[in-house]
Amino acid sequence: MRLNNKPFIGILAFIVVLFTMPLGHALMILIEKIFGHSGQFPGATVLGIIGAYLLWMGARHQNETQATWYGFFGGILLWTGWVEFSFVWSALHLGIPPLMENGEVVTKPEYLIMPSSLGLLLVSLLYFLFDGRTHCKFFTWLQRNLKLRIKRVVGEKQRNFAIITAMETIYVLWFFYIVLLLIYDKNILGDRHPVSYAVFAGSLIWSLYLVIRLIKFNKMAAAVRYAIPTVIIFWNAVEILGRWGFFREIWVEPTEYALEMMLMLFCFIAVIVLTMITSKLKTVNKKSD
């Protein structure tokens, strides 16, 4: 099998997106530790500006694969810099303490208030649900099965893959953050509630189904966009296992596990380089054909 063909394209896309989950967590912690209480918010603002710049670069790019990568990394930086740290600022401003159990922090203050954005999330998701231009398989599935009879828009202009990928990244992260935070809340369910076990099992089964579909992709840009929800759904199970104490989440303590995080970063960069080589090989093969 050639590296620039299935199943390797889907596998590479999955691995790249998978690595961004712990590295994104570690980046947030490092900003808090390096810049301190007074400097973390200017640092987070700059991080978001970098994400916005990547998004702008991707929006101007004609190449679908590169626009998708710009959008993905831009979305990650925007989420971490502007969205997550906005909750950090709000929690500090309101003086919300962390949730403690047995003398340990189990939920940070910013995540205690994040579920308050549930209404905004649901309202804004209506845009995608009722949008006749959407190409998202999940929303087209909902439109079809809910018999919404949404008029499909034809003859539309070229799609902006950077913005599409960034918004997909932000919304999927946002949605599943709130799902986990709601089930963790003991006043609602609790992390040992049967529903929590169902979410864990459902995330594994759903992500496995998506992986089976993902490895059939032979186009990197589409594979990356499909890998985003695939990985985030899989990461639900990882987060729940960490919550249950099955392993230590080293990405929330990057300074204590610097060697492991550096190895993870090195592997991440290596896979990124490999995906670039794969994309170039695909382009060369198309031209030779």
Side-chain angles (χ1 to χ4, degrees), residues 16-37:
V16 171
V17 179
L18 180 63
F19 273 123
T20 61
M21 302 304 290
L23 290 173
H25 279 292
L27 178 60
M28 185 177 181
I29 301 298
L30 287 174
I31 289 176
E32 292 174 333
K33 287 183 176 292
I34 292 172
F35 293 99
H37 178 77

Side-chain angles (χ1 to χ4, degrees), residues 4 63 65 278-288:
N4 61 333
N63 183 279
T65 301
T278 301
S279 298
K280 287 183 179 179
L281 287 173
K282 197 80 174 176
T283 303
V284 169
N285 287 341
K286 281 185 177 180
K287 288 181 179 179
S288 62

